[in-house]
Amino acid sequence: MSDQPTNSSRGQWGSRAGFILAAAGSAVGLGNIWKFPYITGENGGGLFVLVYLVAILLVGLPIMMAEIFVGRTTQKSPVGAIRDLSKRGSPWIMTGWLGVLAAFVILSYYSVVAGWAMHYTWITMTEPFTGQSADEISSVFGAVFGNTTINTGWHVAFMVITIGIVSMGIHRGIELCAKILMPTLFLILIALLIYAMTTDGFGRAAEFLFAPNTENFSGKSVLEALGHAFFTLSLGMGAMITYGSYLSKKESIVSTSIIVSILDTAVALMACLILFPIIFSANLEPGAGPGLVFVSIPIAFSQMSGGAILAPLFFLLLTFAALTSAISLLEVAASYFIDELKWPRLVAVLVTGFAITLIGIPSALSGGTAMFGSGFQELNAPLLAYLGHENGLNWFDLFDYIASNWLLPLGGLAIALFASWRVGGAARQAAFCGEGKGMTIYFVWLILLRFLVPIAVILVFLNAVGFLDWFFALFATAVEGG
Ligand code: TRP
């Protein structure tokens, strides 16, 4: 413990690289490899990618700096950190609570998707899809989602691994895991990328991604890109506050945030450069939606030589990426009980992990009818209408919907406003520019956070509750009428 100068009872990153890898591990996840490619496909490629990159730069990066700043300054997890920077009983503390709640909600269903990645790693290894027809392979996903035993089993297995790693603590658990998994993940990505470059779909994929394609791009695409910038960088619920709280005050907020954002973006783009050549080579549909990874990839790999090796490798990669993200979600929940209620780490991790495993079970059962009739399949309509969503959501979809469209934008907005308006200016400026250096960056950051970020986030939020649709419809009728 002698290399831990301060706060050794709480834990601290062993090195700057350890922090960067852990934070990148949190950011890089299912959002990059599963979600980003399919929403890029749906929104027509090129222009969407460009807007996403701008959103990362102008909205995501400033909020990440704000979160790391709040955490690093206070060396506390979200609730305590915000209390320290405002005052006891301040309404801003609700932001911290919201984050803890979001951790429970997100991890409960995230773990189910991670379970699919584990299941696919297993089945592509033990019974390769080679030679099966596309229909046979796509029916596998439906069967998996409908199978309560498979879903619950892998969900619990994934949670047990996550709990095991987080209980080992910051330095020996989370950091060590990230130091092993992140480089492995990059190696697998590079191997798959080299393979994708040899397929004849590569040129078409590159053009799809980087030429300014406007087809399928709409006003809503801008907002979707912005919303995804949040999810992919793990912002809006205090994950980066928590990780920042284990960071030594010697380390720069600006450079670490930039590196983490670049790594996250690189993985998202690499995932696209791997998936789309395969999709184009196999003549599959890029706009196929959420099933893109779990349906199209096994289909594509089944038609290729080497697919029997590449397919399990791909799903192993997805599992690793999900694991280092899940760790950060559990750490947010556990650190609240460790810091605020003074629970020992092991107890806090076991209790929160167990609770999240239980909360995730309805999500794991969402595709099946075997055990509880259709109880978890279709939630009741008035409740959904009240939440601003039409009918037809199951429990799993509902949790995803609440988290990405309500909790994260709200949390991100609150953190942006808190860090830029509420926190004392002198302390903030000192944290950013130690010896008077970096003043320009500091002021650009402050202006973005005070004005541009709130406006952008409010737009995402209004879009999520359907207000913009309503507004545009009203506008259209007004124009027609006038
Ligand atoms: N960023 C991760 C991904 O892209 C998911 C994630 C981890 C997350 N921690 C988070 C999302 C905190 C929002 C908030 O898959």
Side-chain angles (χ1 to χ4, degrees), residues 5-305:
T6 53
N7 256 329
S8 55
S9 59
R10 224 183 139 249
Q12 204 173 38
W13 306 113
S15 67
R16 173 186 153 88
F19 165 74
I20 289 173
L21 286 175
S26 167
V28 173
L30 297 168
N32 303 58
I33 302 170
W34 163 69
K35 192 168 179 195
F36 184 63
Y38 94 70
I39 59 175
T40 298
E42 285 178 339
N43 289 286
L47 196 54
F48 179 79
V49 174
L50 188 68
V51 172
Y52 161 81
L53 293 175
V54 173
I56 291 283
L57 188 69
L58 296 184
V59 178
L61 187 56
I63 296 186
M64 180 175 299
M65 291 180 189
E67 288 205 17
I68 295 179
F69 155 64
V70 168
R72 199 198 64 167
T73 303
T74 56
Q75 305 275 304
K76 291 219 170 96
S77 56
V79 174
I82 293 170
R83 185 189 304 115
D84 266 21
L85 288 173
S86 46
K87 56 179 187 297
R88 197 161 266 285
S90 152
W92 288 107
I93 295 171
M94 304 250 296
T95 314
W97 286 100
L98 203 71
V100 177
L101 177 71
F104 278 85
V105 173
I106 299 176
L107 184 52
S108 76
Y109 71 86
Y110 200 83
S111 163
V112 175
V113 182
W116 298 340
M118 284 173 87
H119 182 67
Y120 268 80
T121 312
W122 175 251
I123 58 175
T124 49
M125 215 160 65
T126 52
E127 41 198 285
F129 290 128
T130 339
Q132 293 186 25
S133 77
D135 280 349
E136 281 171 319
I137 296 174
S138 34
S139 69
V140 170
F141 183 68
V144 167
F145 192 36
N147 186 320
T148 47
T149 321
I150 290 181
N151 272 296
T152 324
W154 287 111
H155 160 63
V156 172
F158 183 79
M159 283 305 300
V160 168
I161 299 174
T162 309
I163 290 167
I165 295 167
V166 178
S167 67
M168 301 284 290
I170 301 307
H171 190 45
R172 291 205 358 257
I174 300 178
E175 183 173 347
L176 188 65
C177 174
K179 273 185 170 167
I180 298 167
L181 291 189
M182 291 309 284
T184 314
L185 189 139
F186 273 101
L187 284 181
I188 300 180
L189 270 177
I190 290 167
L192 288 169
L193 185 61
I194 291 172
Y195 173 79
M197 287 168 101
T198 65
T199 64
D200 34 296
F202 192 77
R204 253 200 303 162
E207 201 197 310
F208 179 76
L209 292 169
F210 300 119
N213 302 310
T214 52
E215 205 194 329
N216 293 333
F217 188 89
S218 67
K220 279 196 115 180
S221 308
V222 179
L223 299 167
E224 190 162 6
L226 205 56
H228 185 65
F230 263 96
F231 189 84
T232 192
L233 291 176
S234 301
L235 302 175
M237 47 79 73
M240 291 297 163
I241 297 182
T242 309
Y243 274 22
S245 76
Y246 308 117
L247 184 64
S248 150
K249 291 191 186 179
K250 294 191 306 259
E251 303 298 349
S252 154
I253 296 166
V254 177
S255 69
T256 47
S257 304
I258 292 177
I259 296 171
V260 171
S261 305
I262 289 178
L263 287 175
D264 185 76
T265 309
V267 172
L269 294 178
M270 278 167 89
C272 284
L273 283 173
I274 290 165
L275 293 195
F276 286 111
I278 290 169
I279 288 161
F280 285 127
S281 301
N283 279 322
L284 298 166
E285 178 51 50
L292 196 69
V293 164
F294 292 106
V295 177
S296 303
I297 287 307
I299 291 179
F301 280 133
S302 76
Q303 299 172 357
M304 287 168 190
S305 55

Side-chain angles (χ1 to χ4, degrees), residues 376-437:
F376 292 117
Q377 262 194 327
E378 293 272 327
L379 288 165
N380 93 5
L383 171 75
L384 294 176
Y386 186 70
L387 286 164
H389 202 288
E390 323 85 71
N391 213 346
L393 281 190
N394 56 35
W395 189 285
F396 175 91
D397 297 329
L398 177 71
F399 267 35
D400 185 24
Y401 176 72
I402 291 180
S404 348
N405 294 344
W406 291 80
L407 298 178
L408 295 184
L410 247 153
L413 177 64
I415 290 164
L417 294 174
F418 178 75
S420 65
W421 292 99
R422 177 65 180 82
V423 174
R428 183 173 54 216
Q429 189 167 340
F432 266 80
C433 5
E435 302 92 37
K437 284 184 298 183

Side-chain angles (χ1 to χ4, degrees), residues 103-104 107-108 155 159 330 333 351-361:
F104 278 85
L107 184 52
S108 76
H155 160 63
M159 283 305 300
L330 184 56
V351 170
T352 49
F354 184 69
I356 292 169
T357 310
L358 283 185
I359 299 170
I361 287 187

